[in-house]
Amino acid sequence: MADLRVDTNKMTDYADRIDVANQRIATLDRQLNSLYFSFGLLDVFRIIQADMLLSYSSTLQQCSSYLRETAATFETIERTLAAQDPLNFDPSVLLNTVSFNPVVPDWMHIGLTPQELFGNPLIMLGCATLSPLTTMIIRNFVTDNFEHDGHFNFNILDENGHLTLEGIDIWGMFSNKDSLWSIEGEGDFWDDLLHLHGGIGAMTGGVWGEGRYQFYNSETGEFQPGAAVNLEGEAAVLHIFGDGRLGDDQFGEGASIDLNGAYAYAGGDFRGGYIGEDAYGTDIYGVTARGGAIASVFHGGATYTLTIGGVDITFGAGYDYLGAGGDFDYGITNRGVNGTGEIAWGGGISVSLGIDWTDNRDICNFIDEGVDWALDQGETFYNNVTDGWNTVVDFGQSAVETGVDMWNTGVDTARDWWDSGMDTLQEAGENVLDFLHI
């Protein structure tokens, strides 16, 4: 049997080195904090960016604690095994050496792992809950959320040289949204009959964009023409939000509120044709657009939603204080319609109305059948045009090939006639020379 060797001294040494590095990070963080009031506004933002990456890390602290606890556990087990008689070994003695986490029933969740709020920005607070009350988690985080993806396919001819649009698929996106710190809570009560969600964040915002153009879905091969282009940015010094809903997806009501201090938005978004998928994986077709630029000291709004038979009817209103600019957002799809608009100069009021029938299967099925019929007609028309074009191309190519063959045949015939005439003439000359005895 192979020996199990664990160098607990090295584990403890690694833990000490992690603690030293962690303390150096904390010292550098404190030194950065002392610079906030020594520089201008632009430099302060740069310090904030650096400070977000440097703070006393509870993750490193947990790593060092894990190394020490594991080393201590191995040493305890080693001492316990050394004290046992090899001929009369009792494995049960190890149960008193190794600790186990208590098992709690599935209907109960108890947890408490508080960490430094503005140091390592990660806080999780699990509350003891009993069914039908689910777990509520309050969290605060700062992370780099930069995402990007894309692909480019552009080929209008297939392997046979025929016209096709299936090879055209251009798509790219990027997104970078973050916040200096935020706290968010969410909970479901009474078997999900009541849902509450809310939070607060500071220095929130980001920038994102997308571009897409396609006739066929490259993943499914279905005829799904669509285009999208957007470039948007949004920021707020303080963001408070919350929403609640009572009932289910067929009958109920809900409300939401969104408040922003020192708010700014600029950008545009247009999507037409195939837009994407809803939460149920159903394809969405239509036209949506948003655009504008607005900045205000206070930007807020509230909505009320009434659900009847799976149809959500949403009324909304907003207000800007000491703001300037304008913003609009409109759309019509096979899942709903919405519209809102605002022009602010000093102050501005916005009103919105939206109707969403995503959860009404009868309406969705009826409209989806119409969309599918329209797509089938469009694909049939495209195929007919493509077949006609390819027929013309094939006919032209065949005509060219026939003309070339006729030309080659004519050239070969003329060459044969010339060769035959020359042979006859030469033979006649030789006969004349023979007659003259020359």
PDB file of all heavy atoms in Angstrom, residues 58-85:
ATOM      1  N   SER A  58     -11.469  38.716   1.444  1.00  0.00           N
ATOM      2  CA  SER A  58     -11.908  37.640   2.329  1.00  0.00           C
ATOM      3  C   SER A  58     -11.742  36.289   1.653  1.00  0.00           C
ATOM      4  O   SER A  58     -11.670  35.257   2.323  1.00  0.00           O
ATOM      5  CB  SER A  58     -13.375  37.858   2.724  1.00  0.00           C
ATOM      6  OG  SER A  58     -14.185  37.925   1.578  1.00  0.00           O
ATOM      7  N   THR A  59     -11.691  36.273   0.314  1.00  0.00           N
ATOM      8  CA  THR A  59     -11.443  35.007  -0.396  1.00  0.00           C
ATOM      9  C   THR A  59     -10.054  34.481  -0.057  1.00  0.00           C
ATOM     10  O   THR A  59      -9.866  33.283   0.217  1.00  0.00           O
ATOM     11  CB  THR A  59     -11.584  35.208  -1.905  1.00  0.00           C
ATOM     12  OG1 THR A  59     -12.885  35.703  -2.196  1.00  0.00           O
ATOM     13  CG2 THR A  59     -11.349  33.896  -2.648  1.00  0.00           C
ATOM     14  N   LEU A  60      -9.048  35.389  -0.086  1.00  0.00           N
ATOM     15  CA  LEU A  60      -7.697  34.973   0.309  1.00  0.00           C
ATOM     16  C   LEU A  60      -7.675  34.546   1.773  1.00  0.00           C
ATOM     17  O   LEU A  60      -6.986  33.588   2.147  1.00  0.00           O
ATOM     18  CB  LEU A  60      -6.709  36.111   0.068  1.00  0.00           C
ATOM     19  CG  LEU A  60      -6.444  36.492  -1.386  1.00  0.00           C
ATOM     20  CD1 LEU A  60      -5.490  37.677  -1.463  1.00  0.00           C
ATOM     21  CD2 LEU A  60      -5.870  35.305  -2.148  1.00  0.00           C
ATOM     22  N   GLN A  61      -8.421  35.262   2.610  1.00  0.00           N
ATOM     23  CA  GLN A  61      -8.469  34.920   4.026  1.00  0.00           C
ATOM     24  C   GLN A  61      -9.070  33.528   4.216  1.00  0.00           C
ATOM     25  O   GLN A  61      -8.598  32.734   5.049  1.00  0.00           O
ATOM     26  CB  GLN A  61      -9.274  35.978   4.780  1.00  0.00           C
ATOM     27  CG  GLN A  61      -9.173  35.882   6.299  1.00  0.00           C
ATOM     28  CD  GLN A  61     -10.209  34.941   6.878  1.00  0.00           C
ATOM     29  OE1 GLN A  61     -11.273  34.773   6.291  1.00  0.00           O
ATOM     30  NE2 GLN A  61      -9.888  34.324   8.007  1.00  0.00           N
ATOM     31  N   GLN A  62     -10.105  33.223   3.420  1.00  0.00           N
ATOM     32  CA  GLN A  62     -10.697  31.890   3.501  1.00  0.00           C
ATOM     33  C   GLN A  62      -9.707  30.815   3.048  1.00  0.00           C
ATOM     34  O   GLN A  62      -9.669  29.713   3.608  1.00  0.00           O
ATOM     35  CB  GLN A  62     -11.968  31.849   2.650  1.00  0.00           C
ATOM     36  CG  GLN A  62     -13.121  32.666   3.219  1.00  0.00           C
ATOM     37  CD  GLN A  62     -14.310  32.685   2.285  1.00  0.00           C
ATOM     38  OE1 GLN A  62     -14.226  32.210   1.163  1.00  0.00           O
ATOM     39  NE2 GLN A  62     -15.412  33.257   2.743  1.00  0.00           N
ATOM     40  N   CYS A  63      -8.906  31.143   2.017  1.00  0.00           N
ATOM     41  CA  CYS A  63      -7.905  30.172   1.545  1.00  0.00           C
ATOM     42  C   CYS A  63      -6.877  29.861   2.633  1.00  0.00           C
ATOM     43  O   CYS A  63      -6.527  28.691   2.866  1.00  0.00           O
ATOM     44  CB  CYS A  63      -7.206  30.712   0.292  1.00  0.00           C
ATOM     45  SG  CYS A  63      -8.241  30.766  -1.182  1.00  0.00           S
ATOM     46  N   SER A  64      -6.387  30.909   3.293  1.00  0.00           N
ATOM     47  CA  SER A  64      -5.405  30.681   4.356  1.00  0.00           C
ATOM     48  C   SER A  64      -6.027  29.912   5.517  1.00  0.00           C
ATOM     49  O   SER A  64      -5.389  29.023   6.101  1.00  0.00           O
ATOM     50  CB  SER A  64      -4.834  32.013   4.844  1.00  0.00           C
ATOM     51  OG  SER A  64      -5.843  32.811   5.441  1.00  0.00           O
ATOM     52  N   SER A  65      -7.278  30.232   5.850  1.00  0.00           N
ATOM     53  CA  SER A  65      -7.949  29.500   6.930  1.00  0.00           C
ATOM     54  C   SER A  65      -8.137  28.033   6.556  1.00  0.00           C
ATOM     55  O   SER A  65      -7.967  27.142   7.391  1.00  0.00           O
ATOM     56  CB  SER A  65      -9.303  30.145   7.235  1.00  0.00           C
ATOM     57  OG  SER A  65      -9.149  31.479   7.677  1.00  0.00           O
ATOM     58  N   TYR A  66      -8.470  27.810   5.269  1.00  0.00           N
ATOM     59  CA  TYR A  66      -8.659  26.426   4.823  1.00  0.00           C
ATOM     60  C   TYR A  66      -7.350  25.639   4.939  1.00  0.00           C
ATOM     61  O   TYR A  66      -7.343  24.471   5.383  1.00  0.00           O
ATOM     62  CB  TYR A  66      -9.164  26.416   3.385  1.00  0.00           C
ATOM     63  CG  TYR A  66      -9.181  25.043   2.754  1.00  0.00           C
ATOM     64  CD1 TYR A  66     -10.190  24.133   3.040  1.00  0.00           C
ATOM     65  CD2 TYR A  66      -8.173  24.662   1.870  1.00  0.00           C
ATOM     66  CE1 TYR A  66     -10.202  22.875   2.471  1.00  0.00           C
ATOM     67  CE2 TYR A  66      -8.166  23.396   1.298  1.00  0.00           C
ATOM     68  CZ  TYR A  66      -9.188  22.504   1.591  1.00  0.00           C
ATOM     69  OH  TYR A  66      -9.194  21.260   1.031  1.00  0.00           O
ATOM     70  N   LEU A  67      -6.238  26.273   4.525  1.00  0.00           N
ATOM     71  CA  LEU A  67      -4.954  25.581   4.621  1.00  0.00           C
ATOM     72  C   LEU A  67      -4.626  25.246   6.072  1.00  0.00           C
ATOM     73  O   LEU A  67      -4.169  24.122   6.369  1.00  0.00           O
ATOM     74  CB  LEU A  67      -3.859  26.456   4.003  1.00  0.00           C
ATOM     75  CG  LEU A  67      -3.880  26.603   2.475  1.00  0.00           C
ATOM     76  CD1 LEU A  67      -2.863  27.649   2.037  1.00  0.00           C
ATOM     77  CD2 LEU A  67      -3.591  25.268   1.809  1.00  0.00           C
ATOM     78  N   ARG A  68      -4.839  26.193   6.976  1.00  0.00           N
ATOM     79  CA  ARG A  68      -4.514  25.948   8.394  1.00  0.00           C
ATOM     80  C   ARG A  68      -5.424  24.868   8.973  1.00  0.00           C
ATOM     81  O   ARG A  68      -4.961  23.970   9.702  1.00  0.00           O
ATOM     82  CB  ARG A  68      -4.630  27.233   9.198  1.00  0.00           C
ATOM     83  CG  ARG A  68      -3.527  28.247   8.916  1.00  0.00           C
ATOM     84  CD  ARG A  68      -3.529  29.364   9.954  1.00  0.00           C
ATOM     85  NE  ARG A  68      -2.430  30.283   9.740  1.00  0.00           N
ATOM     86  CZ  ARG A  68      -2.469  31.356   8.975  1.00  0.00           C
ATOM     87  NH1 ARG A  68      -3.591  31.639   8.326  1.00  0.00           N
ATOM     88  NH2 ARG A  68      -1.417  32.135   8.831  1.00  0.00           N
ATOM     89  N   GLU A  69      -6.729  24.962   8.673  1.00  0.00           N
ATOM     90  CA  GLU A  69      -7.659  23.980   9.222  1.00  0.00           C
ATOM     91  C   GLU A  69      -7.368  22.591   8.669  1.00  0.00           C
ATOM     92  O   GLU A  69      -7.424  21.589   9.410  1.00  0.00           O
ATOM     93  CB  GLU A  69      -9.094  24.388   8.891  1.00  0.00           C
ATOM     94  CG  GLU A  69      -9.544  25.652   9.623  1.00  0.00           C
ATOM     95  CD  GLU A  69     -10.912  26.115   9.157  1.00  0.00           C
ATOM     96  OE1 GLU A  69     -11.488  25.438   8.278  1.00  0.00           O
ATOM     97  OE2 GLU A  69     -11.395  27.147   9.654  1.00  0.00           O
ATOM     98  N   THR A  70      -7.053  22.520   7.365  1.00  0.00           N
ATOM     99  CA  THR A  70      -6.739  21.215   6.775  1.00  0.00           C
ATOM    100  C   THR A  70      -5.462  20.633   7.372  1.00  0.00           C
ATOM    101  O   THR A  70      -5.382  19.431   7.678  1.00  0.00           O
ATOM    102  CB  THR A  70      -6.590  21.355   5.249  1.00  0.00           C
ATOM    103  OG1 THR A  70      -7.780  21.915   4.701  1.00  0.00           O
ATOM    104  CG2 THR A  70      -6.333  20.002   4.607  1.00  0.00           C
ATOM    105  N   ALA A  71      -4.432  21.478   7.548  1.00  0.00           N
ATOM    106  CA  ALA A  71      -3.190  21.007   8.159  1.00  0.00           C
ATOM    107  C   ALA A  71      -3.442  20.505   9.579  1.00  0.00           C
ATOM    108  O   ALA A  71      -2.931  19.444   9.975  1.00  0.00           O
ATOM    109  CB  ALA A  71      -2.157  22.133   8.155  1.00  0.00           C
ATOM    110  N   ALA A  72      -4.246  21.280  10.336  1.00  0.00           N
ATOM    111  CA  ALA A  72      -4.540  20.859  11.710  1.00  0.00           C
ATOM    112  C   ALA A  72      -5.319  19.551  11.732  1.00  0.00           C
ATOM    113  O   ALA A  72      -5.082  18.684  12.586  1.00  0.00           O
ATOM    114  CB  ALA A  72      -5.325  21.961  12.422  1.00  0.00           C
ATOM    115  N   THR A  73      -6.248  19.373  10.774  1.00  0.00           N
ATOM    116  CA  THR A  73      -7.029  18.133  10.718  1.00  0.00           C
ATOM    117  C   THR A  73      -6.140  16.943  10.400  1.00  0.00           C
ATOM    118  O   THR A  73      -6.249  15.877  11.027  1.00  0.00           O
ATOM    119  CB  THR A  73      -8.135  18.261   9.655  1.00  0.00           C
ATOM    120  OG1 THR A  73      -8.983  19.357   9.979  1.00  0.00           O
ATOM    121  CG2 THR A  73      -8.958  16.982   9.579  1.00  0.00           C
ATOM    122  N   PHE A  74      -5.212  17.097   9.445  1.00  0.00           N
ATOM    123  CA  PHE A  74      -4.291  16.010   9.117  1.00  0.00           C
ATOM    124  C   PHE A  74      -3.421  15.647  10.324  1.00  0.00           C
ATOM    125  O   PHE A  74      -3.171  14.458  10.603  1.00  0.00           O
ATOM    126  CB  PHE A  74      -3.410  16.396   7.930  1.00  0.00           C
ATOM    127  CG  PHE A  74      -4.021  16.073   6.590  1.00  0.00           C
ATOM    128  CD1 PHE A  74      -4.338  17.079   5.710  1.00  0.00           C
ATOM    129  CD2 PHE A  74      -4.270  14.753   6.231  1.00  0.00           C
ATOM    130  CE1 PHE A  74      -4.903  16.796   4.490  1.00  0.00           C
ATOM    131  CE2 PHE A  74      -4.836  14.459   5.007  1.00  0.00           C
ATOM    132  CZ  PHE A  74      -5.158  15.486   4.129  1.00  0.00           C
ATOM    133  N   GLU A  75      -2.929  16.665  11.049  1.00  0.00           N
ATOM    134  CA  GLU A  75      -2.078  16.393  12.214  1.00  0.00           C
ATOM    135  C   GLU A  75      -2.864  15.674  13.305  1.00  0.00           C
ATOM    136  O   GLU A  75      -2.346  14.766  13.958  1.00  0.00           O
ATOM    137  CB  GLU A  75      -1.504  17.709  12.734  1.00  0.00           C
ATOM    138  CG  GLU A  75      -0.475  18.344  11.786  1.00  0.00           C
ATOM    139  CD  GLU A  75      -0.041  19.715  12.240  1.00  0.00           C
ATOM    140  OE1 GLU A  75      -0.671  20.243  13.201  1.00  0.00           O
ATOM    141  OE2 GLU A  75       0.904  20.281  11.655  1.00  0.00           O
ATOM    142  N   THR A  76      -4.145  16.074  13.474  1.00  0.00           N
ATOM    143  CA  THR A  76      -4.966  15.413  14.485  1.00  0.00           C
ATOM    144  C   THR A  76      -5.213  13.954  14.127  1.00  0.00           C
ATOM    145  O   THR A  76      -5.129  13.053  14.976  1.00  0.00           O
ATOM    146  CB  THR A  76      -6.311  16.149  14.631  1.00  0.00           C
ATOM    147  OG1 THR A  76      -6.072  17.504  15.006  1.00  0.00           O
ATOM    148  CG2 THR A  76      -7.185  15.480  15.684  1.00  0.00           C
ATOM    149  N   ILE A  77      -5.527  13.733  12.836  1.00  0.00           N
ATOM    150  CA  ILE A  77      -5.753  12.357  12.386  1.00  0.00           C
ATOM    151  C   ILE A  77      -4.479  11.528  12.527  1.00  0.00           C
ATOM    152  O   ILE A  77      -4.516  10.344  12.926  1.00  0.00           O
ATOM    153  CB  ILE A  77      -6.243  12.363  10.929  1.00  0.00           C
ATOM    154  CG1 ILE A  77      -7.636  12.998  10.841  1.00  0.00           C
ATOM    155  CG2 ILE A  77      -6.258  10.959  10.355  1.00  0.00           C
ATOM    156  CD1 ILE A  77      -8.153  13.136   9.427  1.00  0.00           C
ATOM    157  N   GLU A  78      -3.327  12.157  12.217  1.00  0.00           N
ATOM    158  CA  GLU A  78      -2.065  11.426  12.328  1.00  0.00           C
ATOM    159  C   GLU A  78      -1.805  11.016  13.772  1.00  0.00           C
ATOM    160  O   GLU A  78      -1.399   9.876  14.043  1.00  0.00           O
ATOM    161  CB  GLU A  78      -0.926  12.294  11.807  1.00  0.00           C
ATOM    162  CG  GLU A  78       0.428  11.584  11.811  1.00  0.00           C
ATOM    163  CD  GLU A  78       1.541  12.486  11.295  1.00  0.00           C
ATOM    164  OE1 GLU A  78       1.367  13.723  11.319  1.00  0.00           O
ATOM    165  OE2 GLU A  78       2.576  11.948  10.894  1.00  0.00           O
ATOM    166  N   ARG A  79      -2.044  11.933  14.707  1.00  0.00           N
ATOM    167  CA  ARG A  79      -1.832  11.597  16.128  1.00  0.00           C
ATOM    168  C   ARG A  79      -2.803  10.513  16.572  1.00  0.00           C
ATOM    169  O   ARG A  79      -2.446   9.604  17.342  1.00  0.00           O
ATOM    170  CB  ARG A  79      -1.991  12.845  16.986  1.00  0.00           C
ATOM    171  CG  ARG A  79      -0.855  13.851  16.841  1.00  0.00           C
ATOM    172  CD  ARG A  79      -0.924  14.912  17.946  1.00  0.00           C
ATOM    173  NE  ARG A  79      -2.144  15.703  17.852  1.00  0.00           N
ATOM    174  CZ  ARG A  79      -2.265  16.827  17.148  1.00  0.00           C
ATOM    175  NH1 ARG A  79      -1.209  17.289  16.473  1.00  0.00           N
ATOM    176  NH2 ARG A  79      -3.392  17.490  17.117  1.00  0.00           N
ATOM    177  N   THR A  80      -4.055  10.597  16.073  1.00  0.00           N
ATOM    178  CA  THR A  80      -5.044   9.585  16.471  1.00  0.00           C
ATOM    179  C   THR A  80      -4.663   8.211  15.942  1.00  0.00           C
ATOM    180  O   THR A  80      -4.747   7.201  16.649  1.00  0.00           O
ATOM    181  CB  THR A  80      -6.425   9.986  15.939  1.00  0.00           C
ATOM    182  OG1 THR A  80      -6.780  11.268  16.460  1.00  0.00           O
ATOM    183  CG2 THR A  80      -7.476   8.964  16.336  1.00  0.00           C
ATOM    184  N   LEU A  81      -4.212   8.150  14.680  1.00  0.00           N
ATOM    185  CA  LEU A  81      -3.819   6.865  14.107  1.00  0.00           C
ATOM    186  C   LEU A  81      -2.578   6.299  14.786  1.00  0.00           C
ATOM    187  O   LEU A  81      -2.463   5.076  14.982  1.00  0.00           O
ATOM    188  CB  LEU A  81      -3.561   7.028  12.604  1.00  0.00           C
ATOM    189  CG  LEU A  81      -4.790   7.333  11.730  1.00  0.00           C
ATOM    190  CD1 LEU A  81      -4.360   7.572  10.289  1.00  0.00           C
ATOM    191  CD2 LEU A  81      -5.798   6.184  11.798  1.00  0.00           C
ATOM    192  N   ALA A  82      -1.636   7.202  15.142  1.00  0.00           N
ATOM    193  CA  ALA A  82      -0.408   6.733  15.792  1.00  0.00           C
ATOM    194  C   ALA A  82      -0.694   6.123  17.151  1.00  0.00           C
ATOM    195  O   ALA A  82       0.055   5.249  17.618  1.00  0.00           O
ATOM    196  CB  ALA A  82       0.581   7.893  15.921  1.00  0.00           C
ATOM    197  N   ALA A  83      -1.752   6.570  17.786  1.00  0.00           N
ATOM    198  CA  ALA A  83      -2.077   6.051  19.119  1.00  0.00           C
ATOM    199  C   ALA A  83      -2.859   4.741  19.069  1.00  0.00           C
ATOM    200  O   ALA A  83      -3.116   4.134  20.113  1.00  0.00           O
ATOM    201  CB  ALA A  83      -2.881   7.102  19.899  1.00  0.00           C
ATOM    202  N   GLN A  84      -3.288   4.303  17.869  1.00  0.00           N
ATOM    203  CA  GLN A  84      -4.086   3.084  17.756  1.00  0.00           C
ATOM    204  C   GLN A  84      -3.194   1.854  17.614  1.00  0.00           C
ATOM    205  O   GLN A  84      -2.082   1.914  17.091  1.00  0.00           O
ATOM    206  CB  GLN A  84      -5.015   3.189  16.539  1.00  0.00           C
ATOM    207  CG  GLN A  84      -6.056   4.286  16.652  1.00  0.00           C
ATOM    208  CD  GLN A  84      -7.020   4.015  17.800  1.00  0.00           C
ATOM    209  OE1 GLN A  84      -7.565   2.912  17.935  1.00  0.00           O
ATOM    210  NE2 GLN A  84      -7.191   5.008  18.649  1.00  0.00           N
ATOM    211  N   ASP A  85      -3.729   0.745  18.075  1.00  0.00           N
ATOM    212  CA  ASP A  85      -3.057  -0.539  17.917  1.00  0.00           C
ATOM    213  C   ASP A  85      -3.374  -1.061  16.512  1.00  0.00           C
ATOM    214  O   ASP A  85      -4.549  -1.286  16.187  1.00  0.00           O
ATOM    215  CB  ASP A  85      -3.560  -1.529  18.966  1.00  0.00           C
ATOM    216  CG  ASP A  85      -2.833  -2.877  18.883  1.00  0.00           C
ATOM    217  OD1 ASP A  85      -1.954  -3.017  18.007  1.00  0.00           O
ATOM    218  OD2 ASP A  85      -3.175  -3.761  19.681  1.00  0.00           O
TER     219      ASP A  85
END
